[in-house]
């Protein structure tokens, strides 16, 4: 496990918490990730941009061991995913994931949704799990919703529950795959605000999003994917104000 003291150092002096080397993945004949190399520092916030179908979801799902890969190496908090499938459970404990669709269990209360995995996977007592769940609901700003069911909440509230649920497992890394894409515009901000606070708390985050203001404001680094390859990466200033590659310029011209 990486040292918490690591977080007090400037970003460039910190240890890597994620190391991806020469990652290649195919779906049948379709080569979806091509020689991807990414290192992420502890506490770093990385935003992943790219056109639809460029491999963004596949990339972060592979880091969370939701997808297999055929070539290369992935090391998450010193756990090597490449060699041994028995590491999958360990990796899943390290990483929390938030999806576009909130994927809450509809027949369970908000509190049950959040305490389920800590009780079953972490073997916490119910009292402890509920205490932590309530603290997390405070943190995402909806403690009063604890005893309701997902269907009674707005989309923005449900996504905040999904974030709280992921945090309940005390992950060291949070992965977000277009967390605001399914939300009505007026609810996007409340979810992004929770993510911003989380980023400021020192959480390592990989975020696939089309929210360019969020990317500019919160990202330490932006990575642009196209056709399964990393085309360009850099700070928000480098990428938005001074893009080097034609494909980056083209992508930015289409979304900004
Ligand atoms: P993005 O998230 O950037 O939109 P994805 O990672 O979802 O892209 O997809 C990358 C490519 O892989 C696309 O061509 C997509 O159609 C294909 N793909 C994604 N999931 C599967 C799958 N389960 N089986 C086959 N092809 C897939
Ligand atoms: Mg996707």
């Amino acid at each position: 496990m990486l040292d918490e003291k690591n977080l007090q150092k400037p970003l460039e002096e910190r240890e890597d918490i994620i190391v991806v080397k020469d990652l290649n993945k195919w779906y049948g004949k379709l080569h979806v990730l091509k020689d991807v190399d990414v290192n992420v520092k502890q506490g770093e916030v990385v935003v992943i941009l790219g056109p639809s179908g460029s491999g963004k979801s596949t990339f972060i799902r592979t880091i969370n061991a939701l997808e297999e890969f055929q070539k290369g190496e992935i090391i998450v908090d010193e756990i090597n995913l490449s060699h041994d499938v028995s590491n999958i459970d360990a990796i899943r404990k390290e990483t929390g994931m938030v999806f576009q669709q909130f994927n809450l269990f509809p027949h369970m209360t908000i509190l049950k949704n959040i305490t389920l995995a800590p009780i079953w996977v972490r073997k916490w007592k119910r009292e402890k799990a509920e205490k932590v769940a309530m603290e997390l609901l405070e943190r995402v700003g909806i403690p009063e919703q604890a005893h309701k069911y997902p269907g009674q909440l707005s989309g923005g509230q449900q996504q905040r529950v999904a974030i709280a649920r992921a945090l309940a497992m005390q992950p060291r890394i949070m992965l977000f795959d277009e967390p605001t894409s399914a939300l009505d515009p007026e609810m996007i901000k409340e979810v992004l605000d929770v993510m911003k606070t989380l980023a400021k708390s020192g959480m390592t985050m990989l975020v696939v999003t089309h929210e360019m203001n969020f990317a500019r404001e919160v990202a330490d680094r932006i990575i642009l994917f196209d056709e399964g390859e990393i085309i360009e990466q850099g700070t928000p200033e480098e990428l938005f104000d001074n893009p080097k590659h034609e494909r980056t310029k083209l992508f930015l011209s289409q979304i900004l």
Side-chain angles (χ1 to χ4, degrees):
M1 292 275 272
L2 288 172
D3 191 347
E4 286 300 329
K5 278 195 218 127
N6 201 22
L7 269 180
Q8 285 148 26
K9 297 180 194 160
L11 201 54
E12 59 280 6
E13 289 171 23
R14 289 184 209 161
E15 307 282 335
D16 293 325
I17 192 166
I18 300 173
V19 178
V20 176
K21 275 188 219 157
D22 191 30
L23 175 64
N24 282 270
K25 175 175 175 61
W26 287 261
Y27 284 118
K29 283 183 182 158
L30 186 66
H31 196 179
V32 282
L33 295 175
K34 301 170 186 163
D35 303 333
V36 172
D37 290 298
V38 175
N39 289 24
V40 179
K41 302 279 186 193
Q42 195 180 0
E44 191 174 11
V45 178
V46 177
V47 164
I48 299 171
L49 302 180
S52 176
S54 58
K56 307 179 298 294
S57 295
T58 306
F59 175 64
I60 64 166
R61 290 169 62 84
T62 307
I63 289 177
N64 198 22
L66 289 170
E67 297 284 348
E68 295 175 48
F69 58 97
Q70 286 74 38
K71 184 166 170 269
E73 196 166 42
I74 299 179
I75 302 166
V76 176
D77 201 9
E78 295 168 359
I79 303 164
N80 195 321
L81 249 183
S82 327
H83 304 133
D84 188 354
V85 283
S86 70
N87 286 341
I88 285 180
D89 288 345
I91 294 261
R92 296 262 172 85
K93 283 186 194 164
E94 299 283 320
T95 55
M97 181 133 180
V98 176
F99 303 89
Q100 181 174 341
Q101 303 301 338
F102 330 117
N103 297 344
L104 299 176
F105 301 112
H107 58 292
M108 289 181 192
T109 65
I110 299 311
L111 200 60
K112 268 261 155 58
N113 264 278
I114 299 175
T115 55
L116 190 69
I119 289 172
W120 286 97
V121 182
R122 291 257 187 224
K123 311 288 180 206
W124 288 1
K125 290 221 163 58
R126 192 166 59 87
E127 293 71 33
K128 177 182 176 183
E130 288 187 351
K131 183 167 173 288
V132 170
M134 285 311 299
E135 287 164 6
L136 287 166
L137 284 173
E138 292 276 353
R139 207 163 140 191
V140 301
I142 42 172
E144 73 286 357
Q145 308 296 334
H147 301 288
K148 293 191 186 162
Y149 288 83
Q152 297 173 285
L153 272 59
S154 73
Q157 290 172 327
Q158 289 188 58
Q159 193 59 303
R160 287 189 277 159
V161 172
I163 294 172
R165 182 174 63 173
L167 290 173
M169 289 293 282
Q170 302 186 317
R172 313 236 315 147
I173 298 162
M174 284 284 284
L175 308 172
F176 293 86
D177 193 356
E178 300 199 26
T180 60
S181 295
L183 297 177
D184 291 333
E186 72 272 18
M187 291 169 192
I188 291 176
K189 184 176 179 296
E190 66 193 49
V191 172
L192 293 179
D193 284 346
V194 167
M195 292 167 64
K196 273 181 210 171
T197 309
L198 191 59
K200 289 204 184 90
S201 77
M203 178 64 78
T204 308
M205 293 168 48
L206 263 62
V207 184
V208 178
T209 185
H210 301 294
E211 294 295 329
M212 294 302 136
N213 289 332
F214 175 86
R216 198 182 259 282
E217 196 182 323
V218 181
D220 294 301
R221 180 157 46 119
I222 295 180
I223 298 180
L224 181 79
F225 270 79
D226 194 12
E227 297 182 3
E229 286 179 290
I230 293 180
I231 300 299
E232 182 164 354
Q233 53 179 311
T235 63
E237 293 73 29
E238 286 167 344
L239 208 107
F240 288 131
D241 303 336
N242 195 12
K244 297 203 165 38
H245 290 260
E246 284 310 314
R247 277 149 94 182
T248 313
K249 290 177 196 168
L250 182 67
F251 176 74
L252 292 175
S253 74
Q254 284 161 349
I255 53 158
L256 290 178

